[in-house]
Amino acid sequence: MSIFQVKEDVYWVGARDWNINSFHGPAYSTKQGTTYNSYLIKDEKNVLVDGVYKPFIDRFFEHIEEVVDFKDIDYYIVNHVEPDHSSSFPRTMERLRDDVTVVCSAKGKEGIIEHYGSGYNFEVVSTGDTINIGERNLAFVDASMLHWPDSMFTYIPEDKLLLPNDAFGMHYCTSQLFDDQVDDCLMMDEAKKYFANILTPFSSILLKKLKEVQEMDIEIDMIAPSHGIIWREDPNKIIQKYLEWAEGKAKEKALVIYETMWDSTELMAKKIADGLIDQGIEVQFYRKSDADKNDIIKEFLDAKAIIVGSPTINNVMIPELTPLLEELEGLRFKNKLGASFGSYGWRGGAAKRIADRLEGAKIELIDEPLEVKYVPDKEQLKECYEFGVSIAEKIKQS
Ligand code: FEO
């Protein structure tokens, strides 16, 4: 038996995906795997909350059958239509009674129909709506754009249990799925990576939603998301972290990221980092081809500045930097500083190109791009060091 009780008569019936190493296609590296958390509530009416990614459907069905007969399920709540949770929906519906009620937001209904067709018995809900299932009530909170238009949270006041689907989740697969059972540093690191890479663009919506939920004065003693760890020991810990991350609180910290061909840009990067470090700035230093894009983005979440370097090749930057810069533009981090640098042979251009991309990502440029021809000499290395010092001053002033 690999299901477990989350609360009395509330069961985890999801699936562990130990082997997945990228999510959203190749966009998100999942070095710790992930889980698709689905929950079954046993009451006078039985309720299934969310599904799993289709390749795991047989395991999911086995788990459900360990708790109830499919024909005894009365409600199927779809908090979110993204296929990692809903691609099991059509086959699950084939197993359920014809009159089972599919509970979702208005956009959720649209999403289900657009993905899987119509003909289902929908009950559309929004903030303030409740459904009584016997001993318990299910309450719903609209969570549109956290992170899809259809997203919603389900809350069970009698259990003080929040089921927020993707929110407060992480891609972290473990045999034990509670926060007090796993390595705290790894757990918080994965939660941070998930926030930075998925939720950053929705930070202002998230802040409003967290305040709205706080004003509703609901008691939460467990948060059970749809990926990774269930927060039972201290759910407030992740709520406070979400507030901090969504507010864009930054440390005196900078990321130096570069690519190099014949070491010149690397020499520049090292001197810029020295200038920053000597001024007391925390530095994360990456040669992009040796680093994970999503880890860099995770570290950018609480950094103040990003300094990116590349030699010029065929009048442009080394293309391996492009996915990171493209991602930064999409994620729309707020209140960040940036700068660029690089070496060139007979004609520059890479550092300017990087600066343009940083500006496109709404990152405020601290300085003009710094370029050196061929190999930086002693004077030019000193200039790189001073470039770092000057960036450090801007970080401290901001
Ligand atoms: Fe885990 Fe937005 O799906």
Side-chain angles (χ1 to χ4, degrees):
M1 171 155 153
S2 52
I3 61 165
F4 56 88
Q5 277 208 75
V6 172
K7 291 261 185 181
E8 193 179 346
D9 284 334
V10 180
Y11 296 85
W12 179 92
V13 292
R16 292 180 179 84
D17 190 349
W18 296 98
N19 295 326
I20 188 170
N21 50 31
S22 72
F23 199 84
H24 285 160
Y28 187 120
S29 62
T30 47
K31 287 177 262 186
Q32 309 295 336
T34 195
T35 67
Y36 312 104
N37 296 340
S38 169
Y39 301 95
L40 240 180
I41 305 159
K42 274 180 74 175
D43 208 311
E44 287 170 28
K45 303 280 185 189
N46 296 317
V47 182
L48 178 63
V49 183
D50 293 318
V52 301
Y53 184 34
K54 196 164 56 175
F56 297 86
I57 198 163
D58 292 336
R59 194 83 170 136
F60 174 53
F61 284 176
E62 282 170 28
H63 289 165
I64 291 172
E65 282 170 328
E66 285 182 41
V67 183
V68 293
D69 191 284
F70 271 85
K71 299 296 179 200
D72 291 332
I73 293 174
D74 301 280
Y75 290 100
Y76 183 0
I77 297 176
V78 179
N79 280 315
H80 178 34
V81 185
E82 194 164 4
D84 52 326
H85 310 290
S86 78
S87 53
S88 55
F89 178 84
R91 278 187 55 199
T92 306
M93 290 303 290
E94 287 170 13
R95 300 280 304 266
L96 299 173
R97 289 197 318 267
D98 289 343
D99 66 343
V100 72
T101 303
V102 176
V103 181
C104 58
S105 66
K107 287 284 179 193
K109 180 179 172 181
E110 268 179 47
I112 290 170
I113 291 170
E114 281 158 7
H115 280 80
Y116 309 113
S118 54
Y120 303 111
N121 178 29
F122 287 107
E123 179 165 346
V124 169
V125 292
S126 188
T127 302
D129 291 336
T130 57
I131 295 175
N132 178 268
I133 57 166
E135 297 291 313
R136 296 173 177 79
N137 292 285
L138 308 175
F140 305 97
V141 180
D142 176 79
S144 184
M145 297 318 296
L146 293 174
H147 67 126
W148 273 25
D150 54 86
S151 300
M152 69 173 197
F153 301 166
T154 300
Y155 174 66
I156 308 170
E158 293 77 10
D159 293 312
K160 300 177 187 168
L161 171 62
L162 183 68
L163 303 166
N165 196 269
D166 279 339
F168 308 110
M170 70 192 75
H171 292 306
Y172 184 17
C173 182
T174 58
S175 56
Q176 282 136 321
L177 281 176
F178 289 108
D179 54 350
D180 51 293
Q181 296 174 314
V182 300
D183 182 276
D184 191 67
C185 289
L186 198 46
M187 172 179 75
M188 294 313 295
D189 210 49
E190 289 298 335
K192 182 179 172 187
K193 178 176 171 181
Y194 184 95
F195 186 101
N197 283 275
I198 294 177
L199 293 170
T200 294
F202 313 109
S203 291
S204 51
I205 299 171
L206 183 62
L207 271 179
K208 257 169 74 182
K209 185 55 58 183
L210 286 172
K211 282 181 184 142
E212 184 188 315
V213 170
Q214 280 173 332
E215 278 161 20
M216 288 165 82
D217 212 19
I218 61 175
E219 285 184 273
I220 297 173
D221 78 1
M222 184 183 287
I223 300 175
S226 60
H227 295 293
I229 303 304
I230 296 168
W231 306 91
R232 73 172 174 190
E233 185 179 59
D234 186 7
N236 195 43
K237 179 174 174 173
I238 190 64
I239 293 172
Q240 291 308 314
K241 275 290 170 195
Y242 264 48
L243 283 168
E244 191 182 302
W245 292 331
E247 280 167 2
K249 283 190 182 159
K251 300 194 272 184
E252 289 188 349
K253 170 178 164 183
L255 311 188
V256 178
I257 300 153
Y258 68 97
E259 267 307 336
T260 198
M261 288 167 68
W262 300 109
D263 302 338
S264 292
T265 301
E266 185 170 67
L267 286 169
M268 295 176 78
K270 285 177 176 169
K271 278 294 167 192
I272 292 167
D274 285 350
L276 286 157
I277 293 166
D278 287 353
Q279 296 303 309
I281 302 295
E282 179 185 337
V283 169
Q284 297 279 346
F285 190 84
Y286 303 95
R287 179 173 177 167
K288 174 62 197 70
S289 47
D290 296 331
D292 181 292
K293 170 179 62 98
N294 304 109
D295 286 342
I296 294 172
I297 289 165
K298 175 195 72 186
E299 291 303 323
F300 194 38
L301 183 63
D302 59 5
K304 190 67 206 175
I306 188 165
I307 303 115
V308 184
S310 170
T312 297
I313 176 168
N314 300 326
N315 304 331
V316 298
M317 63 181 150
I318 290 191
E320 277 64 22
L321 286 165
T322 307
L324 173 68
L325 295 169
E326 185 77 357
E327 195 91 73
L328 290 178
E329 190 164 335
L331 289 170
R332 307 191 293 280
F333 284 96
K334 291 207 169 49
N335 305 319
K336 303 287 190 189
L337 303 173
S340 64
F341 64 97
S343 64
Y344 65 95
W346 49 100
R347 184 177 164 186
K352 171 75 172 71
R353 204 170 172 91
I354 292 168
D356 290 345
R357 297 303 304 270
L358 293 176
E359 269 196 310
K362 307 283 186 256
I363 292 169
E364 184 191 338
L365 293 178
I366 302 170
D367 216 328
E368 290 298 310
L370 179 64
E371 289 194 294
V372 302
K373 190 172 180 195
Y374 287 127
V375 181
D377 61 18
K378 208 170 163 187
E379 269 313 299
Q380 287 167 321
L381 287 174
K382 190 160 175 291
E383 206 183 325
C384 291
Y385 180 87
E386 293 303 333
F387 192 65
V389 170
S390 144
I391 294 168
E393 282 162 7
K394 299 271 175 33
I395 291 172
K396 289 180 178 180
Q397 286 161 10
S398 68

